[in-house]
Amino acid sequence: MVVLAASIISKSGKGMSHSTYVFGIIWMDLPPTNIDRIISLSSAALVSRQFVDMSRIRIEGYLAAFPKLVGIGKQHTYIETENVRYVYQPIESLYLLLVTNKQSNILEDLETLRLLSKLVPEYSYSLDEEGIGRTAFELIFAFDEVISLGHKENVTVTQVKQYCEMESHEERLHKLVLQNKINETKDVMKRKASEIDKSKIERNRGDKGGFMSLQSMGSGRIDTGFGSDSGISNTGGSGFGSGSGFGLTPEVDTFSTKSKGRPAASATAPPKGLGMQLGKTQKTNQFLESLKAEGEVIVEDVRPSVGQAKPAAAPLTDPVTLTVEEKINVTLKRDGGVSNFVVQGTLSLQILNQEDAFIQVQIETSGNPAILFKAHPNMNKELFANENILGLKDPNRPFPTGQGGDGVSLLRWRMQSTDESILPLTINCWPSVSGSETYVNIEYETPAQIDLQNVVISVPLPALREAPNVQQIDGEWRYDSRNSVLEWSVLLIDNSNRSGALEFVVPAADPSAFFPISAQFTSSRTFSDVKVVNVLPLKGGATPKHAQRTLLATETYQVV
């Protein structure tokens, strides 16, 4: 009653065509350094972990035979042969597969398969052959935490992630010692770099006459007004002694002894441009630049130049980009009903080149009479009302180019309703007190015509000493102890999980303590269903290439 292997294979029976990927299959009899044997494996398997001693040919034959046994349109989760049983689950274009013996408990195998199906998206955000190949070894380590010697361990997704991320005390100590040595070396480098910079500044001052009396520039001797402690010799033009640490350069000596027929006033007047010009004459220090490249914060003595250019924004990839964005504000009643439901949308235009600015944009909408559209004052409103074409009143005037953010807004719309059936997400919360504990059941539902991404439902909790006891959840959860909030997250809501439930237990509390519940999500489908049909050039020529971005996001979404 054991699991022989846990694998991820492609539905087509063909693996990755790119020759640089190495299949993450591990056999009991295959050394990990034998890369040639790994590359020559069956191309149907992407990742496979064996939990019993078996040969390479045996497991390769099992995995190669599975795609031929799966029938199209069958609603089964297992297939039995003479020797083994396949328990599988589709994951987009892949299969998550358990190979077991026929005496294995299929209920326990299904529970193991369900846990593995939750782990795969945690480590591979791209559920395709390339994404699985990049995270092959992380998936193998996670499989080892779930299955030991063919038997399922009593673990959860959170525990598996914690076990895979754990570090040893010796490793942490080694990293701390190594980081301390790196920090000490950087400190020494910064001190040396600072000393070098100061010496260069002082040398530049000496080269430009900063330490000499201006009256002595034309006399051929150095003024000895610094006193005997400065170490200056009384002989004319001999320069500084050992006390100051600087010598008189030949250029300064030549300048002070030969006036070249200049007026006397020019000798005593301060030379133009020879004062301290911080940030202009100092050369860039290579040590400081290397430290800055490593992320160190360097406090320099020089002032930054005024009017430094800001980093340029990322250039647009398409000549014309149109962005459809809707913000939704919803307030739901905990007993049912809608208090507030407002959708506000905008259509923005970004143009990269000036020659593509003489255009008109033709759109189409869902035709919902509850949505009120309002065009920009510079738009030809008759043209928009009759033909759904957005164009300027003056056709000889181009659209602005080089706009930041999402560009210039061409169209805005607003929709307000109290119809609960069109809500993208409904949330029901049922707290019930039983003795010294409160059982909280929360359920979400979505309509069939909209998919939601990055869904996070935040439930406020009373002050707790420890995390709540989550007994059942469809998705993942996280407890924010600082704000006393339980966050229920679902990466994607589609046809496979239109509804989900969460059940947790906390000490006895007032049911109103679990409100207001807030939600955040995004979607690629909007209520207005505004689509760009075509971009029409006004001055002839080819139609410029255009792209459309569509986003529905929550601004406020609460159950009060």
Side-chain angles (χ1 to χ4, degrees):
M1 299 176 61
V2 295
V3 177
L4 304 180
S7 310
I8 299 177
I9 67 175
S10 60
K11 287 185 177 180
S12 61
K14 297 181 180 180
M16 293 173 287
S17 59
H18 203 291
S19 60
T20 59
Y21 290 105
V22 178
F23 302 136
I25 304 183
I26 296 180
W27 297 271
M28 304 301 294
D29 62 343
L30 177 62
T33 57
N34 198 337
I35 302 300
D36 294 334
R37 293 180 65 187
I38 293 178
I39 296 178
S40 64
L41 296 176
S42 169
S43 60
L46 305 178
V47 173
S48 182
R49 180 67 170 111
Q50 285 64 253
F51 301 100
V52 297
D53 190 6
M54 65 173 62
S55 64
R56 175 182 65 86
I57 298 177
R58 182 183 175 191
I59 184 61
E60 185 177 2
Y62 287 154
L63 297 180
F66 172 74
K68 303 175 183 178
L69 300 174
V70 179
I72 301 175
K74 294 183 179 180
Q75 300 295 324
H76 296 292
T77 58
Y78 71 94
I79 298 174
E80 288 189 357
T81 63
E82 295 181 359
N83 300 319
V84 296
R85 177 191 296 141
Y86 298 98
V87 184
Y88 64 94
Q89 175 178 336
I91 303 179
E92 294 188 0
S93 62
L94 309 173
Y95 279 120
L96 177 61
L97 175 66
L98 293 182
V99 182
T100 70
N101 55 17
K102 298 182 68 173
Q103 292 76 30
S104 179
N105 188 342
I106 191 171
L107 296 179
E108 184 176 349
D109 295 337
L110 289 173
E111 182 64 23
T112 304
L113 184 67
R114 176 176 172 271
L115 180 58
L116 294 181
S117 67
K118 292 183 178 181
L119 279 174
V120 172
E122 292 291 335
Y123 291 94
S124 179
Y125 296 103
S126 177
L127 296 178
D128 53 14
E129 297 179 0
E130 184 177 353
I132 296 297
R134 285 197 301 264
T135 58
F137 290 100
E138 289 80 359
L139 290 171
I140 291 173
F141 297 151
F143 288 175
D144 284 343
E145 298 295 336
V146 177
I147 304 173
S148 177
L149 299 177
H151 298 279
K152 179 181 179 297
E153 296 288 338
N154 188 17
V155 293
T156 63
V157 175
T158 305
Q159 290 174 336
V160 171
K161 295 176 64 177
Q162 181 181 1
Y163 296 158
C164 292
E165 295 173 359
M166 288 179 66
E167 297 179 348
S168 65
H169 176 71
E170 290 78 6
E171 182 182 4
R172 290 197 300 268
L173 183 60
H174 172 72
K175 289 183 178 180
L176 288 175
V177 173
L178 184 61
Q179 188 62 39
N180 289 335
K181 291 181 180 180
I182 294 175
N183 293 337
E184 291 177 359
T185 304
K186 289 182 178 180
D187 292 339
V188 173
M189 291 176 63
K190 285 190 287 186
R191 287 197 299 268
K192 293 294 184 181
S194 179
E195 293 175 1
I196 293 173
D197 290 339
K198 290 181 180 179
S199 65
K200 284 186 177 182
I201 293 175
E202 297 296 333
R203 188 179 297 114
N204 290 336
R205 289 176 179 174
D207 292 345
K208 296 167 185 176
F211 293 99
M212 292 183 295
S213 174
L214 294 176
Q215 286 79 7
S216 64
M217 296 292 286
S219 62
R221 63 182 297 271
I222 302 299
D223 190 6
T224 60
F226 289 94
S228 59
D229 292 337
S230 63
I232 302 174
S233 175
N234 291 330
T235 59
S238 62
F240 293 103
S242 59
S244 64
F246 294 95
L248 187 63
T249 60
E251 291 82 0
V252 177
D253 189 15
T254 303
F255 178 76
S256 62
T257 54
K258 298 179 181 180
S259 62
K260 298 183 181 180
R262 293 180 182 178
S266 62
T268 58
K272 296 182 179 180
L274 295 182
M276 293 177 60
Q277 298 180 1
L278 300 180
K280 294 183 180 180
T281 59
Q282 184 180 1
K283 297 182 180 179
T284 303
N285 190 283
Q286 295 181 355
F287 291 103
L288 291 178
E289 292 298 325
S290 62
L291 291 176
K292 291 178 182 178
E294 294 179 3
E296 291 292 327
V297 179
I298 306 299
V299 180
E300 301 182 6
D301 293 336
V302 298
R303 297 180 181 179
S305 59
V306 180
Q308 293 181 349
K310 297 181 179 180
L316 298 176
T317 57
D318 295 285
V320 178
T321 303
L322 294 113
T323 303
V324 178
E325 183 177 8
E326 286 187 352
K327 296 288 186 180
I328 181 172
N329 295 271
V330 174
T331 303
L332 305 176
K333 300 177 182 179
R334 67 182 71 176
D335 298 328
V338 180
S339 297
N340 181 39
F341 179 25
V342 178
V343 177
Q344 294 178 327
T346 57
L347 172 63
S348 304
L349 172 67
Q350 286 178 299
I351 300 177
L352 185 62
N353 302 317
Q354 184 67 32
E355 55 269 18
D356 298 326
F358 294 92
I359 59 173
Q360 290 180 342
V361 180
Q362 184 178 8
I363 66 171
E364 66 177 15
T365 64
S366 61
N368 189 349
I371 301 178
L372 302 178
F373 290 92
K374 183 179 294 185
H376 192 277
N378 291 333
M379 295 292 105
N380 189 336
K381 297 184 179 180
E382 294 183 359
L383 185 64
F384 173 68
N386 297 330
E387 303 181 31
N388 278 348
I389 295 179
L390 292 170
L392 295 174
K393 294 179 180 179
D394 185 1
N396 296 321
R397 179 181 175 184
F399 280 105
T401 59
Q403 296 289 327
D406 290 333
V408 58
S409 297
L410 304 184
L411 186 67
R412 293 179 180 176
W413 58 90
R414 176 184 173 90
M415 184 184 75
Q416 190 169 4
S417 176
T418 57
D419 186 4
E420 193 173 1
S421 62
I422 64 174
L423 289 173
L425 179 68
T426 58
I427 302 172
N428 296 320
C429 180
W430 298 84
S432 59
V433 180
S434 177
S436 61
E437 294 179 329
T438 299
Y439 291 81
V440 182
N441 292 271
I442 303 177
E443 182 183 22
Y444 75 79
E445 291 183 358
T446 60
Q449 64 270 20
I450 187 169
D451 296 342
L452 305 181
Q453 296 89 27
N454 304 319
V455 182
V456 178
I457 300 174
S458 301
V459 184
L461 303 178
L464 302 176
R465 294 184 178 180
E466 57 185 12
N469 180 16
V470 177
Q471 297 185 343
Q472 190 267 333
I473 185 172
D474 294 324
E476 299 297 330
W477 67 278
R478 186 181 74 90
Y479 175 58
D480 185 359
S481 58
R482 176 173 296 181
N483 299 317
S484 190
V485 173
L486 177 64
E487 295 183 352
W488 178 16
S489 61
V490 181
L491 188 63
L492 173 64
I493 297 179
D494 54 10
N495 291 330
S496 63
N497 57 346
R498 288 297 175 191
S499 62
L502 164 67
E503 180 180 357
F504 62 91
V505 182
V506 295
D510 186 4
S512 61
F514 304 98
F515 296 92
I517 300 173
S518 60
Q520 295 179 348
F521 56 83
T522 60
S523 177
S524 58
R525 182 169 180 177
T526 59
F527 286 90
S528 62
D529 201 17
V530 172
K531 296 180 181 178
V532 178
V533 179
N534 198 6
V535 174
L536 309 173
L538 295 179
K539 294 192 175 182
T543 302
K545 183 180 178 182
H546 67 279
Q548 178 178 344
R549 297 181 296 179
T550 305
L551 177 66
L552 170 68
T554 57
E555 201 165 50
T556 57
Y557 205 101
Q558 290 185 334
V559 180
V560 298

